[in-house]
């Protein structure tokens, strides 16, 4: 069964460093999403991406964040200058017309900013 | 204001019990998603619904659009059902993004 994959599973970085989180969505999906979950808190929407551009973004998704689909398979989230409060689990998800809007989630990347 | 509330926050049940988890939301929605999050953190989609009722194995999800309320039921609960169950909704006024509830932590005791 196709699934969304994410790498790395855990990333540790120093405050101020740039990080890139990678996702490979399900191959025939056209809509891509990033969410984050700070430890002990609820999942929060960051951004959605369709047709090679951002379709929606939340207030959290400020200038420090960017997304890219560099090739036909990967979908990346970049944080330019990490802060302590960026420590969270980051989930990628994808969906398609045929999935009826159901989003399929990746296993997440745990980001720890020291 | 777009809000999603889940209850209860924590739930402990004996194996075999019938379980109900509730989700209510503040304004009109286009879809509601029930998700399961395992202790390791991974999220699995259980149901996506916009009306009526859906069933998959021992899981049943219902939604009442007029009352702005959805329930997730687990019949004949089993210890492997222990997880956090999350309700997420797509409001009519906010495009495609989902708003998540805080989750219900379920523990099923053998």
């Amino acid at each position: 069964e196709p699934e969304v994959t994410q790498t790395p599973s855990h990333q540790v970085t120093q405050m101020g460093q740039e990080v890139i989180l990678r996702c490979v969505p399900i191959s025939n999906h056209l809509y891509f999403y990033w969410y984050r979950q700070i430890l002990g808190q609820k999942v929060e929407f960051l951004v959605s991406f369709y047709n090679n551009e951002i379709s929606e973004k939340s207030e959290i998704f400020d200038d420090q964040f960017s997304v890219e689909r560099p090739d036909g398979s990967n979908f990346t989230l970049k944080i330019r200058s990490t802060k302590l409060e960026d420590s969270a689990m980051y989930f990628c998800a994808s969906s398609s017309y045929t999935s009826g809007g159901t989003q399929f989630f990746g296993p997440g990347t745990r980001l720890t900013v020291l | 204001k777009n809000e999603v509330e889940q209850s209860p926050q924590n739930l402990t049940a004996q194996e075999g019990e019938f379980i109900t988890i509730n989700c209510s939301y503040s304004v009109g929605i286009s879809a509601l998603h029930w998700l399961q999050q395992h202790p390791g953190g991974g999220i699995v989609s259980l149901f996506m619904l916009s009306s009526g009722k859906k069933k998959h194995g021992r899981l049943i999800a219902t939604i009442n659009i007029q009352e702005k309320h959805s329930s997730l039921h687990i019949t004949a609960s089993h210890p492997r059902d222990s997880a956090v169950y999350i309700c997420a909704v797509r409001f009519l006024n906010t495009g495609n993004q989902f708003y998540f509830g805080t989750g219900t932590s379920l523990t099923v005791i053998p």
Side-chain angles (χ1 to χ4, degrees):
Chain A
E1 186 174 330
E3 57 183 19
V4 177
T5 60
Q6 289 185 243
T7 55
S9 56
H10 191 186
Q11 172 98 42
V12 181
T13 189
Q14 294 288 328
M15 189 170 59
Q17 294 295 304
E18 175 184 285
V19 295
I20 297 176
L21 309 183
R22 292 184 166 78
C23 169
V24 179
I26 294 172
S27 63
N28 63 346
H29 284 187
L30 300 175
Y31 298 86
F32 314 116
Y33 312 85
W34 282 103
Y35 296 90
R36 80 169 185 193
Q37 186 178 32
I38 295 170
L39 186 64
Q41 298 186 23
K42 60 184 176 183
V43 177
E44 300 173 290
F45 169 79
L46 291 177
V47 65
S48 61
F49 192 87
Y50 171 72
N51 201 25
N52 286 319
E53 60 182 26
I54 291 173
S55 48
E56 289 174 75
K57 60 182 182 179
S58 71
E59 292 173 353
I60 303 167
F61 194 87
D62 61 21
D63 292 344
Q64 292 297 316
F65 292 89
S66 62
V67 290
E68 195 177 36
R69 188 151 161 83
D71 53 43
S73 59
N74 289 285
F75 178 52
T76 62
L77 175 69
K78 182 193 291 187
I79 309 175
R80 287 191 185 80
S81 177
T82 50
K83 307 184 192 71
L84 295 176
E85 54 265 35
D86 293 327
S87 295
M89 184 77 104
Y90 288 81
F91 294 100
C92 170
S94 69
S95 67
S96 71
Y97 291 125
T98 55
S99 71
T102 298
Q103 296 183 15
F104 294 81
F105 286 78
T109 292
R110 182 168 299 283
L111 175 65
T112 302
V113 182
L114 302 176
Chain B
K1 189 177 175 185
N2 297 333
E3 291 180 334
V4 183
E5 304 259 349
Q6 279 187 246
S7 63
Q9 191 172 0
N10 296 287
L11 182 57
T12 301
Q14 291 290 327
E15 183 174 355
E17 281 187 19
F18 180 84
I19 287 161
T20 297
I21 298 169
N22 298 296
C23 175
S24 60
Y25 47 90
S26 53
V27 295
I29 64 168
S30 59
L32 184 144
H33 215 154
W34 279 105
L35 305 154
Q36 181 190 54
Q37 186 169 32
H38 289 282
I43 294 175
V44 174
S45 171
L46 298 175
F47 296 103
M48 178 92 152
L49 63 166
S50 55
S51 64
K53 177 179 173 178
K54 286 191 176 180
K55 185 176 189 293
H56 182 69
R58 295 180 294 105
L59 301 178
I60 304 166
T62 63
I63 188 167
N64 185 316
I65 296 296
Q66 286 74 29
E67 294 186 5
K68 298 185 180 61
H69 180 268
S70 175
S71 293
L72 177 68
H73 305 287
I74 305 175
T75 61
S77 59
H78 190 276
R80 65 175 175 265
D81 297 327
S82 299
V84 176
Y85 292 84
I86 302 170
C87 168
V89 304
R90 192 169 63 207
F91 291 103
L92 288 170
N93 61 4
T94 57
N96 280 326
Q97 68 171 285
F98 277 89
Y99 286 76
F100 290 71
T102 52
T104 294
S105 179
L106 172 65
T107 303
V108 181
I109 300 169

